[in-house]
Amino acid sequence: MSEPEFTEVRAPQPSFTVETAKILAEVAHNRQKDKLKRPYREHVIAVGDALADFDDDIRIAGYLHDIAEDTPMTRQALLDMGVSEHAVDIIERVTKRLHENPDDYQAGIRYIAEDHDATLVKIADNAHNSLPERVRALAEKWPDKPPVTRYDDARPVLYAAVPVEETRKILARINPWLLDELDDLLDEADDTDYENLSYDAAPAGAAEVASGETPADETEPARD
């Protein structure tokens, strides 16, 4: 009689959800305070909440964007919990202490801006740190120190790295006061000479599009 064959049964990978990330962020940063002695967990939760319009990896990275910076949590520990490699990559890219030169803030911003998803997380982080009430409170607490401008300097670099509508979605959720600044930056970047703009030479097919008709050689793309 032959011996029975046993097949190895692998335990299912843990399911790490956006809600799990939010809870982990609250626990990991529970005893930490920011410069104004406010609970630091409020910041990481606000950043994650601001990314509600994006996919789960981006949202998870938003809630956990400071976990590698401010806690003993390692890459492997996050992976073992079930955090995706992509989400961990985002977290590591926005972690200043892991940058080539952690003391060069602007170089770090440029490095983050090379990655679309990390840029979205950093825009949310920057926007929450730039809330008017926080800026005023910092100025009142340290009146002898010049205002911090590094967040202001970082925003044009970050905004240029992602579609403007994605930036608008984040700002509308976390810091609507920055929407006017975004519009001003767009105006400054627009070098169109409107005074001498001619509408006489319309591109081929423009008349049909304006009238709602589709040019004969164009068809609407198939949709899944």
Side-chain angles (χ1 to χ4, degrees), residues 70-127:
D70 299 327
T71 80
M73 191 70 68
T74 64
R75 176 186 181 87
Q76 191 58 51
L78 290 170
L79 293 172
D80 289 345
M81 287 185 200
V83 182
S84 73
E85 285 197 25
H86 181 54
V88 175
D89 287 343
I90 297 172
I91 292 166
E92 291 192 333
R93 184 170 283 263
V94 299
T95 299
K96 184 175 68 172
R97 71 175 184 81
L98 298 179
H99 291 173
E100 184 175 346
N101 185 356
D103 295 327
D104 190 336
Y105 181 79
Q106 293 304 325
I109 291 297
R110 292 191 295 272
Y111 171 66
I112 291 170
E114 293 173 3
D115 182 88
H116 170 272
D117 295 351
T119 302
L120 295 178
V121 172
K122 194 61 184 178
I123 287 172
D125 177 40
N126 181 296

Side-chain angles (χ1 to χ4, degrees), residues 105-106 126 146-155:
Y105 181 79
Q106 293 304 325
N126 181 296
V148 176
T149 60
R150 66 177 186 171
Y151 295 141
D152 299 347
D153 295 338
R155 285 196 290 273

